[in-house]
Amino acid sequence: MTNSDVDSAGLGRRERKRRQVRDQLYVAAIDLFAAQGYEATTMDHIAERADVARATVFNYFAQKTGFLEEWGARRRAKVLGILRQEHAEELTVGERLRRYVGELACLNIESRAETAVLIEASARFGQLLRDPMPEKELADIIDEGIRRGEVRTTVDPGEAGSLIAAGYFAALMRWTGEEPEPFDLRQRLERMLDIVLEGILLR
């Protein structure tokens, strides 16, 4: 084994360790947010739950809102991973959008109590409605539909993606804001997509 190989292996171990600590902090924070609320949870609480020094938390997450951003990013990454495994790129643009939004709905339904706390905190303290990534991911799907001739060329992918993202978050916030849940989330999102697709798809 060369010195370069040894160095690469060392870097690999360090990166794995960093990811392990980051995951440890993330799980601790989300568990605490769900159990006692976002505002009631401090960085000291997270450090104690994760069994690390307080400074370690700030090394990975400079602000508490960073956990909210990570929560949203991990959910979207999980959905995109599912779509890749299912070769969703072979589906029509309408089917891909339904699968994307449908998988997000399933994640929320499976963890409604956690979602209720985190989505409210994201709206109040985070970048929920200003995060460009959900819109971009949806816009990329719509842009592919334009290139395939499935979507009208007059449609702006960014605007259409923004419209779907806004509809998704509006439905999600209302669904988590009432007890018992006021409607079937997946059905509501499907109806929302029906309206959008009616406007953007070619006949």
Side-chain angles (χ1 to χ4, degrees):
M1 179 180 292
T2 66
N3 289 336
S4 177
D5 291 334
V6 172
D7 291 341
S8 297
L11 287 172
R13 285 193 295 272
R14 284 195 293 273
E15 180 59 27
R16 286 195 298 272
K17 178 61 177 177
R18 284 189 58 81
R19 291 184 180 182
Q20 181 182 356
V21 173
R22 187 177 184 87
D23 288 344
Q24 187 177 338
L25 292 168
Y26 172 79
V27 170
I30 299 305
D31 286 349
L32 286 168
F33 295 159
Q36 63 189 34
Y38 176 81
E39 289 185 89
T41 300
T42 67
M43 296 295 244
D44 286 331
H45 294 150
I46 295 168
E48 182 178 357
R49 173 66 68 91
D51 194 24
V52 299
R54 184 174 187 272
T56 301
V57 183
F58 286 96
N59 285 340
Y60 287 85
F61 295 90
Q63 297 180 322
K64 195 167 65 166
T65 53
F67 291 105
L68 301 178
E69 295 164 8
E70 183 90 355
W71 179 72
R74 288 192 182 210
R75 289 202 158 197
R76 294 195 305 275
K78 186 172 184 179
V79 167
L80 292 174
I82 292 171
L83 297 185
R84 282 194 295 270
Q85 290 175 359
E86 296 180 353
H87 303 289
E89 67 277 2
E90 300 173 6
L91 301 175
T92 66
V93 63
E95 291 168 334
R96 286 180 69 186
L97 289 171
R98 291 184 191 282
R99 292 290 293 124
Y100 181 95
V101 175
E103 288 298 334
L104 279 174
C106 287
L107 287 177
N108 293 314
I109 292 168
E110 291 168 1
S111 55
R112 186 171 185 269
E114 172 190 302
T115 298
V117 174
L118 273 294
I119 202 70
E120 179 187 13
S122 296
R124 292 181 61 194
F125 306 105
Q127 301 289 320
L128 179 67
L129 301 181
R130 296 188 294 275
D131 182 356
M133 287 311 298
E135 297 176 9
K136 182 182 184 306
E137 290 163 2
L138 291 162
D140 287 345
I141 296 173
I142 295 165
D143 190 49
E144 177 66 20
I146 293 174
R147 290 196 295 271
R148 291 182 182 180
E150 299 175 31
V151 175
R152 292 188 292 108
T153 56
T154 55
V155 171
D156 183 296
E159 291 179 357
S162 176
L163 182 62
I164 295 172
Y168 165 75
F169 286 123
L172 185 58
M173 291 175 70
R174 183 177 173 195
W175 178 73
T176 56
E178 299 181 31
E179 292 293 347
E181 57 190 72
F183 50 79
D184 183 296
L185 179 62
R186 185 154 193 162
Q187 288 181 1
R188 174 65 64 91
L189 293 174
E190 286 176 352
R191 289 198 295 269
M192 179 269 292
L193 271 178
D194 284 340
I195 295 171
V196 176
L197 293 174
E198 180 73 22
I200 71 173
L201 293 182
L202 280 168
R203 296 297 167 213

